Amino acid sequence: MVLLRLSPMALSRSRFALSPLAETLGSMIVLGKPCSDPWLARWHGRHHPAFAATLDTDPFAKGLVTLFGSTKWLPEFVAMPPSGGMRTTLTSELEKVARVPDEEVRAGLAKSVSHSWKRHDLSWLDGHEWGARTADLLRRVWDTHISPDWPRRRALLERDVTYRAGLLAAYGWPRALAHMSRRSAWVGTDAIRFGNRPGPDRVVGDEGMLFVPVSVASGTWLCAAPPDKYAQVYPARGYAATTDRSRPHHALEQLIGTGRAAILRALEHPATSSELAAHLNRSLGTIGGHLGVLRDADLIAGTRVGRRVVYRRTESGDLLAGQRES
């Protein structure tokens, strides 16, 4: 198994980040396959036909998507750590992808083929400027299938970061990383186990490790940039809950009102008032008023984390919200 070893300096500087590139890559892989996740069925059904039609007219794009969806190794020219923290832009990331020389692209794809559970060849790798062509494909996927939904997705990702940052402040990195990935775990006091494949240990540089949530991928992958920069991409908590809104919750709504019921359900995962406003598409003032009533009723509680107040359900709130599941 691969261990990512962190010095005390690297540990203190590790942090969370967002990557529109990782979000696009994960979404592209999901769109390239039949839908296996019920909570993605609606989005997949809307976008898959157009995406499949695009692949049918572009052998290069189809080869990339098919390979990325059937390998345990995503090449480093697309799996790179974001450089802008929580403000990373897709344009800045795709500029780096576009500059990757052809020989590096081919080497990365060949390694992906060697780690695939399907048979592949690279006969579709014709012409040149493969980095630029990959960046163009990712841009088209973003513009067509992700950008309209990005504000909601970003709010979801920020909620996950807020939740884990609270765990980090209270309990340290091992608790913050718990359940981030089925194959990743904290080992001892200075290392993270990544995956179960054999390989040499890697040493994280003094800038620290990045942890990057994405909203649609069910898997996780490691991003690397020479000589010692690493980021772990992982599925954010709560995506299924935010996309499956088909079940009725009339009893809870009749009891405490539609707006407050929506907030209580949304606080299945702790969030700030701003995150709730973005998630529920309500004004900050409306959210604040409802939060005050719910807090006075001892259904939620707020905890200050830095400059933000993170709200969570109390035991009474959990009990009340849980009654709607019966």
Side-chain angles (χ1 to χ4, degrees), residues 305-321:
V305 179
R307 297 182 179 180
R308 299 177 295 178
V309 177
V310 179
Y311 293 93
R312 58 174 176 80
R313 292 195 307 226
T314 63
E315 185 175 347
S316 297
D318 281 338
L319 181 62
L320 184 60

Side-chain angles (χ1 to χ4, degrees), residues 52-188:
T54 297
L55 296 187
D56 287 340
T57 63
D58 187 342
F60 177 81
K62 188 168 187 176
L64 275 180
V65 173
T66 302
L67 177 57
F68 290 170
S70 58
T71 183
K72 297 179 180 180
W73 178 275
L74 290 174
E76 292 177 0
F77 76 91
V78 291
M80 56 179 64
S83 58
M86 295 295 290
R87 296 183 176 87
T88 303
T89 65
L90 181 66
T91 297
S92 66
E93 294 185 289
L94 292 186
E95 286 175 350
K96 297 177 183 178
V97 175
R99 291 196 299 266
V100 177
D102 284 352
E103 57 270 20
E104 189 173 328
V105 173
R106 178 180 283 278
L109 294 175
K111 190 167 184 178
S112 292
V113 168
S114 69
H115 285 80
S116 175
W117 55 85
K118 294 184 178 180
R119 294 178 63 87
H120 293 276
D121 61 45
L122 298 178
S123 59
W124 46 269
L125 201 58
D126 62 345
H128 53 85
E129 296 185 352
W130 300 322
R133 292 165 67 182
T134 302
D136 179 67
L137 171 62
L138 290 164
R139 169 61 72 179
R140 284 183 282 141
V141 172
W142 170 271
D143 290 343
T144 304
H145 306 294
I146 301 172
S147 179
D149 194 39
W150 180 237
R152 185 193 61 81
R153 291 194 188 197
R154 184 183 181 101
L156 167 70
L157 301 178
E158 289 175 343
R159 284 184 66 185
D160 183 88
V161 170
T162 297
Y163 169 76
R164 294 187 185 279
L167 291 177
L168 172 63
Y171 305 106
W173 277 113
R175 182 73 173 272
L177 302 185
H179 308 299
M180 183 177 284
S181 166
R182 291 176 299 172
R183 298 183 179 87
S184 299
W186 198 265
V187 178

